[in-house]
Every structure is written in C-alpha cells, then in structure tokens.
Amino acid sequence: MHEVILIAGLFSIFLFLPFALSFIELFLKRDAKPIPIDLEYKKDPDYFTKRFVNLLNDALKNLNIQELKEPTPIKLELNKEEWIVFPGDRILTEKTIDTPIVLTKDTVFLQKHVFKKELAVLGNAVFAEKCLARALYVKGDCVIEAPVRIARWVHVEGTLIVNSNADLGVSVYAHEIKIRGWATFKRAYAQKIDTLDEPLIDKKNNKERVINLQGNFGITGNITIGGEKGPIFVNGNIFCDGDVEIEGDVWIKGDVFSQKSITLKNGVVVGEEGKVKSVVARGEILIEGPFRIYGYLHSEKGVEVSI
C-alpha cells in the first residue's frame, strides 16, 4: 500500500513539474517587475576610465614624453600589475598587440590592428582602417572612418565622429558624439549626441500648427507619438510599460523610459541644450534617421543608431 502511494506521489510530482516554472512566473511575475526609476540618481558617466587615466597621468608625471624615440615600457598596476608600452616615434607595425599601448601624439591608424588591452591616444585619433580594441581612450577628437569594434569602453575627451560601422562596446563617453554611419553600444553619454548637422525641431522656427503636451505621462501599454502629426512638443517625461515609438518632428523635453523597447525615427529630439536628459529602455533602443539627444542613451539589450 505504501509503495502504491509513493509511486502515485512521484507520478504526480513528475506530471506537474514541467508546469512549475509557469505557475511561479504567473503568480510572482519576476520578469514583469518594472525597472526601478530614481529621477534624482546621478551616475558618473566616465567611471570606467577614471582609474586607467589616473594611473596614466601618474606615470606621465615622471616621464618626459617628448624625449621618447624608442619603445618605453612602464610597469603599472591596472586590474593587475602589467607593462604599458609607449612606442615613442615608432610606427606601429604589429597587427596584434598584447600590452596596453599609449600613443603620445596625433595618430592615424592606416593598417589593421588588434589591441588586446587598452589603447590610449594622447592627441587626436583617426581610424582609417579596421581596428579592434579592448578599450579606447582619446584625449582629443576621434574620427572613425573604417569599421571599429571596442569590447568594453570608449572615452573621448573631445568629439567622437562615427562615419563608418562601429561597435562601441558597453559604455561610451564623449564631449559630443556625431554618428554619421552606424553604431551600436549599451549606454552612451555626451552633452549632445546626434546623427545630423542640420537643425532639427529644437533649432527650427516652427510657424505651422504645433501640438503642445504638458506634464508627465504614464502609459499602460504601447504608445506611438508623431508620424504625420506635428510638430509636437512634450514638456515633461514619458513613462511607458510597453513599446514606445516616436517619429518625425517631436521634441521631448523630459526623459523617456520604457519597460520594453523604444524606437526613435526621422527628426526626434530629446532634452535641451545645457540640460541632461535620458532615454532608458529595458528592451532595445532603435534610432533611425535624424535624431538628437542631450544626455544619456541606455539599454542593457543594446542601442543601435543609423542614419
């Protein structure tokens, strides 16, 4: 009798086991929990590079970089103690470089390279040929004219201009970012990120009929703004638990948050000059055509920008 009960119990357990995770998800809804939003939270956008740059500056204090004519290795402690090489006036000829590299002058990359560690340029940088790097620091401006792939972070003190295809890794920081080709990353910050030099809705004299929406907007489900309607001004924040699609002459002066995906097309502007605003999505962020934001783009599933 006991054996029959035991067999019946085991049979019941195995019968319902495939449905257990479904019931857990149905009642606990772990994936449905909204991403936490703290409007007062301020994140340091260049925290990835500060430790590297501080160590680099300490090394440069005791080094006259103007006198470097031959490769000069210096041992520093990054994630671990390792050698950093200053090539001096030597032109890089190796295709694959295993140590962190510091180039002390303006540099044009005219051949393919794979930098397995950090690459730092203490001047302006132009990528005229395909390059791969673990991380990239540029003290001046950086122009990408050929496909570039960065595994971790990019930090440009000046303007970052992307004229080709660029996978910029996890985190991108620059004073200004101009994307004139195709770029992907997970998060980016700049005082201005745009895909077009010409004026968009925030710089135009809008004499035609304008739609003004005032206040913060919390939306259940999906939302579409713009299209053939416009120009549209939203003087507030948008919070949505579904997909967000904004297209055309639409100026969002606040933040845009979505629990799913965000699509921005053909003329959308987020934020105002001199103010930091954010576009944050739990899903993907897709940007196509003319676009401008003053501040942050953030998506753990990826941001894709194309003209």
Side-chain angles (χ1 to χ4, degrees), residues 90-160:
R90 186 187 63 163
I91 297 175
L92 290 175
T93 57
E94 300 92 338
K95 290 185 177 180
T96 301
I97 302 171
D98 295 324
T99 58
I101 291 290
V102 178
L103 301 166
T104 59
K105 300 178 181 180
D106 293 349
T107 304
V108 180
F109 296 89
L110 296 173
Q111 65 180 41
K112 296 180 181 179
H113 291 289
V114 175
F115 299 95
K116 291 188 175 181
K117 296 295 182 68
E118 291 83 358
L119 168 64
V121 181
L122 305 185
N124 300 314
V126 177
F127 290 88
E129 185 54 90
K130 181 178 180 180
C131 283
L132 286 76
R134 182 172 185 262
L136 173 65
Y137 171 78
V138 179
K139 193 168 186 178
D141 297 330
C142 178
V143 181
I144 296 176
E145 299 285 359
V148 166
R149 182 177 180 273
I150 308 298
R152 294 190 60 193
W153 52 261
V154 176
H155 182 113
V156 178
E157 298 286 353
T159 299
L160 171 61

Side-chain angles (χ1 to χ4, degrees), residues 12-250:
S12 300
I13 291 173
F14 288 122
L15 178 64
F16 289 101
L17 187 60
F19 304 98
L21 294 176
S22 299
F23 282 113
I24 291 173
E25 182 62 31
L26 177 64
F27 292 104
L28 296 181
K29 298 181 183 295
R30 291 174 299 174
D31 291 341
K33 292 180 180 179
I35 54 176
I37 297 172
D38 181 1
L39 295 178
E40 300 301 320
Y41 177 69
K42 302 298 182 185
K43 185 175 182 178
D44 190 351
D46 61 342
Y47 70 94
F48 272 107
T49 53
K50 280 188 172 178
R51 184 166 181 264
F52 176 79
V53 173
N54 288 339
L55 288 170
L56 190 59
N57 288 335
D58 288 341
L60 294 177
K61 288 178 182 177
N62 301 317
L63 179 68
N64 187 347
I65 60 176
Q66 305 302 326
E67 295 180 356
L68 290 179
K69 302 298 181 185
E70 298 294 334
T72 304
I74 298 176
K75 203 165 191 178
L76 294 177
E77 184 176 352
L78 300 177
N79 293 326
K80 60 181 180 179
E81 194 172 49
E82 58 186 334
W83 292 99
I84 293 181
V85 174
F86 295 75
D89 288 340
R90 186 187 63 163
I91 297 175
L92 290 175
T93 57
E94 300 92 338
K95 290 185 177 180
T96 301
I97 302 171
D98 295 324
T99 58
I101 291 290
V102 178
L103 301 166
T104 59
K105 300 178 181 180
D106 293 349
T107 304
V108 180
F109 296 89
L110 296 173
Q111 65 180 41
K112 296 180 181 179
H113 291 289
V114 175
F115 299 95
K116 291 188 175 181
K117 296 295 182 68
E118 291 83 358
L119 168 64
V121 181
L122 305 185
N124 300 314
V126 177
F127 290 88
E129 185 54 90
K130 181 178 180 180
C131 283
L132 286 76
R134 182 172 185 262
L136 173 65
Y137 171 78
V138 179
K139 193 168 186 178
D141 297 330
C142 178
V143 181
I144 296 176
E145 299 285 359
V148 166
R149 182 177 180 273
I150 308 298
R152 294 190 60 193
W153 52 261
V154 176
H155 182 113
V156 178
E157 298 286 353
T159 299
L160 171 61
I161 302 174
V162 180
N163 291 327
S164 181
N165 295 339
D167 180 352
L168 299 175
V170 176
S171 181
V172 185
Y173 173 95
H175 177 75
E176 187 173 334
I177 300 175
K178 297 177 178 289
I179 299 174
R180 305 296 185 262
W182 174 90
T184 185
F185 45 83
K186 287 191 174 181
R187 52 183 173 267
Y189 169 82
Q191 292 187 14
K192 181 172 69 174
I193 304 172
D194 66 24
T195 61
L196 188 71
D197 288 323
E198 297 176 11
L200 296 180
I201 187 172
D202 62 324
K203 300 296 183 182
K204 292 179 180 178
N205 294 321
N206 296 285
K207 297 180 180 179
E208 54 187 303
R209 184 173 178 271
V210 173
I211 300 173
N212 279 292
L213 302 175
Q214 303 286 337
N216 298 323
F217 300 89
I219 296 99
T220 300
N222 303 331
I223 183 174
T224 300
I225 301 175
E228 296 180 357
K229 303 173 184 178
I232 298 175
F233 293 83
V234 180
N235 293 296
N237 304 308
I238 295 176
F239 304 91
C240 183
D241 64 5
D243 293 324
V244 174
E245 183 168 338
I246 306 173
E247 182 174 2
D249 285 336
V250 181

Side-chain angles (χ1 to χ4, degrees), residues 294-305:
Y294 300 93
Y296 288 94
L297 291 168
H298 182 105
S299 166
E300 287 302 322
K301 290 192 175 180
V303 180
E304 181 178 337
V305 184

Side-chain angles (χ1 to χ4, degrees), residues 265-297:
K265 295 181 178 180
N266 303 327
V268 177
V269 176
V270 178
E272 301 176 74
E273 195 168 4
K275 298 181 181 180
V276 176
K277 297 299 177 182
S278 302
V279 173
V280 179
R282 191 172 192 174
E284 296 177 332
I285 296 177
L286 177 63
I287 297 170
E288 295 180 356
F291 168 78
R292 180 174 297 126
I293 182 173
Y294 300 93
Y296 288 94
L297 291 168

